[in-house]
Amino acid sequence: MARFTALLPLAAALLAAPLAAAAAPHRQGATTLTLSVTGSARHLPDAMAATIEIAGEAPDAAAAQDRLNRAMAAALHAADGVAGVRATTGSYFVTPTDAKRTAWIARQELSLSCDAAPTSVAAAGLRGLIGQLQHAGARLQSLDGRLSAATAAATRERAIGDAVRRLRAEAQAVARSLGETVGTIRAVQVDSPPVRPVFGGLMVAGRAAPPVARPAAIEERVSLSATIELVPAAK
């Protein structure tokens, strides 16, 4: 959880108009209200990412690694030929597959991504590449829709706005019920776990058609907690 002190003036303006969030001294005996709300905003993914496992098997470790290295080189070459696709390699493991160590397998992850909506024509190249690699024996470990940096920032901003509106409404409702009004905001905390859609078809190898991608919208949630000092209503 991160503390965003920059939100204090914004929240103060939305909650109590001209009152300053940090300037007013604490009043002895004042009612202190602590509220927690969650705001949200949704947006369809405008980027796509996949994790592929490339493997090589052989009677000894050296041969297994050689097969893996050749397969990975071929996969990277294929990825480099698809416009808009970024390819990076990840973890590399070599392990025996039996107690006598007469069979070995070498594995390495390949991450693929593109800045295009999963259902778009622009992402067809990545979907086709995944199917091609599956056909060659690679295993699809994960496939998900994502938000680009700009879209994620805009969606988060809308979620924060929704949380602040909810906080304002609840604070004002509580204050009215107590015969008081919203005063100074003493602290604000923000936490935001995003919810990302993941597609099916994981850990599939062998003859495979390109995966079908139709993800749901990604929901950005912002949990907002605030400590607010109430003041008696004017008579």
Side-chain angles (χ1 to χ4, degrees), residues 65-165:
Q65 291 175 82
D66 180 68
R67 291 184 179 181
L68 166 59
N69 296 344
R70 291 176 185 274
M72 180 59 77
L76 287 171
H77 180 73
D80 290 342
V82 181
V85 171
R86 294 183 297 275
T88 57
T89 57
S91 303
Y92 193 118
F93 301 98
V94 184
T95 55
T97 60
D98 65 348
K100 295 182 179 180
R101 304 169 75 88
T102 60
W104 291 75
I105 184 168
R107 300 185 180 94
Q108 188 174 17
E109 289 183 349
L110 173 65
S111 297
L112 303 171
S113 62
C114 69
D115 293 328
T119 57
S120 68
V121 175
L126 177 54
R127 297 195 303 269
L129 173 63
I130 293 170
Q132 176 185 341
L133 296 177
Q134 287 178 300
H135 181 76
R139 299 188 179 189
L140 178 59
Q141 292 186 313
S142 67
L143 178 64
D144 66 278
R146 298 182 177 181
L147 298 181
S148 64
T151 301
T155 304
R156 175 179 170 79
E157 185 174 346
R158 290 193 291 114
I160 290 174
D162 183 50
V164 170
R165 285 191 293 274

Side-chain angles (χ1 to χ4, degrees), residues 126-222:
L126 177 54
R127 297 195 303 269
L129 173 63
I130 293 170
Q132 176 185 341
L133 296 177
Q134 287 178 300
H135 181 76
R139 299 188 179 189
L140 178 59
Q141 292 186 313
S142 67
L143 178 64
D144 66 278
R146 298 182 177 181
L147 298 181
S148 64
T151 301
T155 304
R156 175 179 170 79
E157 185 174 346
R158 290 193 291 114
I160 290 174
D162 183 50
V164 170
R165 285 191 293 274
R166 292 173 184 270
L167 182 67
R168 176 178 58 186
E170 289 200 20
Q172 291 174 343
V174 172
R176 281 195 302 269
S177 69
L178 295 174
E180 300 191 85
T181 61
V182 175
T184 303
I185 297 176
R186 294 298 176 184
V188 174
Q189 289 185 322
V190 178
D191 185 30
S192 55
V195 179
R196 303 197 180 282
V198 178
F199 312 143
L202 306 185
M203 295 303 293
V204 176
R207 294 186 175 274
V212 177
R214 188 184 292 175
I218 293 175
E219 183 177 41
E220 181 81 23
R221 296 175 182 168
V222 173

